[in-house]
Amino acid sequence: MQRKIRLHRTEPIASSAAHPANYFVKVVKRVRKGIVSIITEEKPRNLEEHILSMLIPGWSSVSGDPPPRHFGTGFVIHPDGYLVTNEHVIRDADKIAVKLDGNTRSLPARRVWSDEERDLAVIKVQTPYPLKPLRLGSAETVEVGEWVIAIGNPLGLDHTVTVGVISGKNRPLQVANRYYGNVIQTDAAINPGNSGGPLINIQGEVIGINTLIIYPSQSIGFAIPIDDIKPWIRKYMS
């Protein structure tokens, strides 16, 4: 005689993302609409290339290769499409394109203001609807050991999220001919393409602009304090 196996009904389990311990999920959902991916194409590198690019639509280079493309990140500071990023993200760009969260097509953008010394820039993208600005916090009140989130476009993988802590504050840093006086150090993973993206605290506020890493180290990234660009935002947004 065969025994019948009874299957006990179980109540559906809520998604683990809804668990109170997964607080980062709520923060990411709150801010991701205000973060954009940036794709740039470089300017022609010599006079011949420059002339040909103006005379022949779609021309790319003497060799026929497409112009170099680079990835970066930015975030919304005004509903009209004003975005903050690093100056080095757009420095040599002939074309700037912006990809919004949830969009498969990119939109053209233009440079509004840039400061090579501070490595900061503001660009503007034309959109058919208002964008959602991120809330700006302050780096002055952050503490070493505090949780932070980095969201960006590393290697073209848009809206990649990494998590870490504040590893240090007010670090002076010399990179090539540029001097950063008081950057934030974090172990949240930052890779090429993260530049210009926001470093976000647990309250969903931008406290820094992810800017650089030191090779060949691991988990040593740096962000410019958001306080450094606030005066320029007020000047150009007023």
Side-chain angles (χ1 to χ4, degrees), residues 5-23:
I5 299 174
R6 282 188 173 184
L7 297 177
H8 295 280
R9 290 185 179 181
T10 57
E11 295 296 323
I13 300 174
S15 168
S16 63
H19 192 283
N22 280 326
Y23 191 75

Side-chain angles (χ1 to χ4, degrees), residues 115-137:
D115 187 318
E116 183 176 355
E117 182 180 349
R118 293 178 176 83
D119 199 8
L120 297 170
V122 172
I123 62 176
K124 188 177 188 302
V125 60
Q126 197 72 35
T127 63
Y129 52 85
L131 299 183
K132 185 177 180 181
L134 296 189
R135 191 169 60 191
L136 305 184

Side-chain angles (χ1 to χ4, degrees), residues 4-227:
K4 292 184 178 180
I5 299 174
R6 282 188 173 184
L7 297 177
H8 295 280
R9 290 185 179 181
T10 57
E11 295 296 323
I13 300 174
S15 168
S16 63
H19 192 283
N22 280 326
Y23 191 75
F24 297 124
V25 175
K26 296 178 182 177
V27 178
V28 171
K29 285 183 177 179
R30 191 187 314 157
V31 303
R32 64 178 299 132
K33 290 293 183 184
I35 301 167
V36 306
S37 300
I38 298 175
I39 307 99
T40 64
E41 292 185 5
E42 282 188 9
K43 298 175 182 177
R45 297 191 176 186
N46 55 50
L47 182 58
E48 181 183 3
E49 291 184 0
H50 179 67
I51 293 171
L52 287 171
S53 67
M54 291 192 299
L55 294 177
I56 307 173
W59 181 91
S60 55
S61 70
V62 174
S63 63
D65 297 329
R69 302 178 77 203
H70 301 284
F71 300 105
T73 309
F75 57 93
V76 181
I77 56 169
H78 193 280
D80 288 346
Y82 290 93
L83 318 167
V84 165
T85 188
N86 283 130
E87 186 275 339
H88 75 256
V89 170
I90 63 168
R91 182 187 310 147
D92 297 320
D94 183 40
K95 295 180 181 178
I96 305 172
V98 166
K99 191 176 175 185
L100 306 176
D101 177 52
N103 289 28
T104 56
R105 297 182 62 183
S106 57
L107 300 170
R110 62 177 175 84
R111 183 191 313 247
V112 174
W113 167 84
S114 61
D115 187 318
E116 183 176 355
E117 182 180 349
R118 293 178 176 83
D119 199 8
L120 297 170
V122 172
I123 62 176
K124 188 177 188 302
V125 60
Q126 197 72 35
T127 63
Y129 52 85
L131 299 183
K132 185 177 180 181
L134 296 189
R135 191 169 60 191
L136 305 184
S138 174
E140 295 179 0
T141 58
V142 303
E143 299 285 347
V144 173
E146 183 177 328
W147 283 112
V148 285
I149 305 169
I151 305 178
N153 187 30
L155 306 174
L157 301 171
D158 60 286
H159 288 83
T160 293
V161 177
T162 56
V163 173
V165 298
I166 298 291
S167 304
K169 290 178 61 178
N170 304 317
R171 300 285 200 202
L173 199 63
Q174 181 79 43
V175 179
N177 61 345
R178 183 180 279 124
Y179 176 75
Y180 299 90
N182 63 334
V183 291
I184 303 167
Q185 181 183 336
T186 179
D187 67 348
I190 296 174
N191 292 285
N194 274 108
S195 291
L199 188 66
I200 298 168
N201 65 16
I202 202 70
Q203 294 176 320
E205 300 170 327
V206 180
I207 60 168
I209 304 161
N210 299 321
T211 299
L212 59 105
I213 54 179
I214 293 181
Y215 290 105
S217 64
Q218 295 183 357
S219 301
I220 300 181
F222 299 95
I224 299 172
I226 192 62
D227 309 82

